[in-house]
Amino acid sequence: MSKFFQHPQALVESNNIGKGTRIWAFAHVLPGAQIGKNCNICDHVFIENDVIVGNRVTIKCGVYLWDGIRLADDVFVGPNATFTNDNFPRSKQYLDEFSQTFVDKGASIGANATILPGIRIGRCAMVGAGAVVTRHVPPFAIVVENPAKIVGYVETKKQSFEPDSAKQGTIESNVGGVFLQQIKHVNDLRGDLIVTELEQDLPFKVKRIFFIYNVPNERVRGEHVHKKLHEFIVCLCGGVSIVADDGQIKEEYRLDRPWLGIHIPPRVWRALYKFSQDTILAVYASHEYDSTDYIRDYSEFLDMIK
Ligand code: TYD
């Protein structure tokens, strides 16, 4: 028999509650709910039937977990954060199945945030207090405001560097195989020019070039890793922030001048965000397009590099 603590004023109808979990006054847990070990369920929490809560989860006061909510291990839910499970609620009209919301391992949700139905909040992501989350939150992203937008990535060091247009050559990063490259830049009264000698200047043979443009500022692109593809990214116009992550170290770089590129090797997770309106990216790639070369799930990426 699992041994969990139940305050005498709590109403606990489920038998599926892990050892060491504490359920405080005026909380109500319905019979179907599953709650892991060593959780803390604070006063005035309501947990419906089709709810799964992992281990070491903290649910602060005044949180209601409706059918379809899934909280993984080590999740923190701040006071009065609001979950939803029906996109178009009407009184006395019941869905056959409610949307599921997943909050992945280690993620935190700030006080009074609202999470729309059917959303996934990625591993270790941080939802700011009062944010209204209307779309999936990538792993490690920090989101704020209504509608929630990404303002940064947790545990990610912004690499500061002073690029020098008069110099060519590489600027090393701390993320495995990633480096910035100062591209040959010819300054001219008639207009500037940058040039990349494909054979000499890049550490791989280029098979493909594509361009990214017209990206709305709030969008994140490239949330994935490649199994064998090398990429060299140049921001021809505007600016973009790039997060690179080798599974151990995460760093962020700002590309905002055409004579600065970044090499991202295979097996490095990347996210591109904070696009300025006029951004045009050129991406040199080592292979033809192959959808099977992508991994878009962060846990799968971690498994791959193990
Ligand atoms: P994708 O690389 O998946 O972008 P992101 O990871 O930022 O969402 O590209 C988006 C779409 O463009 C995808 O459906 C496939 C298509 N695509 C090609 O057909 N060829 C290419 O060379 C690239 C890069 C993308």
Side-chain angles (χ1 to χ4, degrees):
M1 270 294 277
S2 96
K3 260 236 170 283
F4 67 93
F5 166 80
Q6 175 182 348
H7 188 281
Q9 257 70 54
L11 183 54
V12 180
E13 301 182 71
S14 167
N15 295 319
N16 204 342
I17 295 174
K19 196 172 159 193
T21 284
R22 289 166 298 160
I23 303 181
W24 295 99
F26 315 113
H28 184 182
V29 181
L30 296 196
Q34 295 175 45
I35 299 175
K37 296 182 199 154
N38 295 318
C39 294
N40 195 19
I41 315 284
C42 298
D43 287 26
H44 294 281
V45 168
F46 174 65
I47 303 184
E48 238 176 348
N49 283 300
D50 180 21
V51 174
I52 302 175
V53 174
N55 301 311
R56 299 174 301 280
V57 171
T58 299
I59 305 174
K60 302 299 275 183
C61 299
V63 173
Y64 307 145
L65 300 181
W66 313 112
D67 286 337
I69 310 295
R70 308 281 182 261
L71 308 183
D73 293 349
D74 304 301
V75 161
F76 172 90
V77 184
N80 299 304
T82 298
F83 289 89
T84 54
N85 64 359
D86 185 348
N87 265 316
F88 208 77
R90 291 285 193 207
S91 181
K92 304 288 175 198
Q93 292 179 20
Y94 303 100
L95 298 176
D96 292 336
E97 208 177 334
F98 289 100
S99 303
Q100 291 190 333
T101 298
F102 294 89
V103 184
D104 290 346
K105 184 173 164 58
S108 291
I109 298 174
N112 202 35
T114 300
I115 316 296
L116 262 59
I119 278 180
R120 179 177 285 272
I121 296 181
R123 170 190 286 252
C124 294
M126 177 66 71
V127 175
V132 178
V133 182
T134 58
R135 47 175 106 221
H136 299 309
V137 178
F140 300 100
I142 303 167
V143 299
V144 299
E145 290 180 17
N146 174 9
K149 61 166 194 272
I150 300 175
V151 291
Y153 282 79
V154 295
E155 300 163 21
T156 301
K157 196 167 161 275
K158 287 201 174 118
Q159 209 201 44
S160 58
F161 48 86
E162 266 316 312
D164 181 350
S165 69
K167 283 193 193 142
Q168 280 172 252
T170 57
I171 304 171
E172 291 303 321
S173 88
N174 295 305
V175 179
V178 172
F179 60 82
L180 293 138
Q181 183 156 325
Q182 298 175 116
I183 300 165
K184 184 170 179 189
H185 175 230
V186 186
N187 221 321
D188 196 315
L189 281 177
R190 299 165 302 160
D192 294 351
L193 180 153
I194 54 161
V195 57
T196 299
E197 293 287 350
L198 295 182
E199 297 278 324
Q200 293 159 34
D201 296 345
L202 296 182
F204 57 87
K205 220 174 155 67
V206 177
K207 286 241 180 96
R208 177 169 54 114
I209 302 177
F210 59 94
F211 299 88
I212 298 175
Y213 61 103
N214 263 348
V215 184
N217 172 50
E218 74 277 9
R219 291 293 161 88
V220 177
R221 295 212 52 140
E223 281 267 331
H224 60 245
V225 68
H226 285 286
K227 295 177 200 163
K228 55 178 204 286
L229 187 80
H230 288 259
E231 284 182 335
F232 183 69
I233 305 173
V234 182
C235 184
L236 296 174
C237 180
V240 65
S241 293
I242 299 182
V243 174
D245 174 359
D246 60 13
Q248 308 237 304
I249 295 175
K250 286 187 265 302
E251 274 188 352
E252 180 172 323
Y253 321 91
R254 184 80 187 158
L255 288 193
D256 57 2
R257 54 205 89 195
W259 45 267
L260 186 68
I262 186 167
H263 170 244
I264 303 189
R267 301 162 73 84
V268 170
W269 183 270
R270 89 289 309 276
L272 281 61
Y273 78 124
K274 291 187 183 164
F275 284 83
S276 65
Q277 222 179 6
D278 51 348
T279 301
I280 301 175
L281 300 182
V283 184
Y284 303 74
S286 63
H287 292 78
E288 292 89 2
Y289 178 71
D290 173 7
S291 62
T292 65
D293 190 59
Y294 286 68
I295 293 180
R296 294 182 185 277
D297 181 281
Y298 194 83
S299 306
E300 235 180 277
F301 157 60
L302 291 181
D303 287 343
M304 174 182 76
I305 57 168
K306 245 183 216 159

